[in-house]
Amino acid sequence: EAAGGEPLASLPFRDFLVTVDFDRYPQLRVSLTTNGSYLTPGEQERLGHVPFSNLTISLNAATDETYEAVNRGLAFERVRTNLDALLSRRKKGLFRGSLVYSMVLLKRNVAEIEQLAELAWKDGALVRFMLPMYNRNNESIMTDPEMMRTALASLQKVAIREEERGFPERARWVRGESEVLDARLEAGIFRALPDL
């Protein structure tokens, strides 16, 4: 599994993936968490032999404006182009792994929780929500009761929709985050994770 930072920003890592003879080692699978900016159509072609079991795309937003604010100027259009190429590859059977759209819940994106879920479902992707660690740039919702309530209500709606769509396990994933929010609201704990 490759996660943390942006693994694909490393040309040596990408070159390593290109040189591995995965046919020789059929038991190997690659799980990758990326912001998607380096998954250009050309790079997808170059990495086409890599047996990705999972690609988690850290979108952290559902609209252009929020995406660019949260991702410090990275253009959503660029990532959307890359995602469309990946979806096309999947339709052709060239990408067989799971695809997950991920969002760390921040003050800037908390109003887009349901929109991100809709975007993921439209694209045939799974959705993952994560509570923020620490309070980077004063963006943690965990310090703001109103933001926590907003996130809680939206997560509960997404969980209900996952149930209605016939995915109770996915609903449990979403409820896990909402349960932490609910417990902290009930206890009056308004400080960033982890509690130090």
Side-chain angles (χ1 to χ4, degrees):
E1 181 174 340
E6 176 48 55
L8 295 180
S10 167
L11 182 58
F13 176 66
R14 295 196 321 261
D15 287 344
F16 165 76
L17 289 176
V18 167
T19 61
V20 174
D21 182 0
F22 288 99
D23 289 336
R24 186 173 173 194
Y25 305 101
Q27 73 280 12
L28 291 180
R29 295 287 179 269
V30 177
S31 177
L32 181 69
T33 300
T34 174
N35 66 20
S37 62
Y38 289 90
L39 276 177
T40 63
E43 198 65 13
Q44 289 180 44
E45 186 72 30
R46 196 169 86 104
L47 300 175
H49 70 292
V50 177
F52 287 109
S53 60
N54 174 71
L55 281 176
T56 296
I57 312 295
S58 300
L59 286 180
N60 295 318
T63 64
D64 297 4
E65 182 181 350
T66 302
Y67 182 87
E68 290 173 20
V70 170
N71 292 290
R72 297 180 295 279
L74 185 62
F76 185 72
E77 181 182 328
R78 175 178 164 188
V79 173
R80 184 69 250 184
T81 297
N82 296 346
L83 289 174
D84 288 342
L86 183 62
L87 295 174
S88 176
R89 290 182 64 79
R90 182 170 64 178
K91 190 173 182 178
K92 295 173 185 171
L94 300 174
F95 170 71
R96 293 188 178 94
S98 64
L99 181 60
V100 180
Y101 291 175
S102 180
M103 176 185 271
V104 175
L105 304 181
L106 304 171
K107 290 177 182 176
R108 285 192 187 214
N109 65 17
V110 72
E112 297 184 4
I113 290 171
E114 294 167 66
Q115 278 181 276
L116 182 75
E118 292 289 345
L119 175 65
W121 298 333
K122 180 177 104 15
D123 286 355
L126 305 176
V127 64
R128 176 182 78 171
F129 298 101
M130 299 169 55
L131 298 176
M133 300 301 289
Y134 309 107
N135 191 18
R136 293 183 184 95
N137 303 317
N138 196 32
E139 279 291 319
S140 177
I141 64 167
M142 306 307 287
T143 62
D144 185 322
E146 195 54 42
M147 291 282 183
M148 291 169 70
R149 286 186 194 92
T150 297
L152 178 61
S154 290
L155 289 172
Q156 289 171 336
K157 288 177 185 175
V158 171
I160 289 167
R161 284 288 313 280
E162 288 285 36
E163 287 276 0
E164 291 171 349
R165 294 174 69 240
F167 299 108
E169 184 63 30
R170 295 180 201 168
R172 280 193 290 276
W173 297 345
V174 176
R175 283 199 180 97
E177 302 300 296
S178 67
E179 287 169 3
V180 172
L181 287 172
D182 195 31
R184 289 173 77 92
L185 282 163
E186 285 287 320
I189 300 171
F190 307 118
R191 57 181 179 264
L193 295 171
D195 290 333
L196 301 176

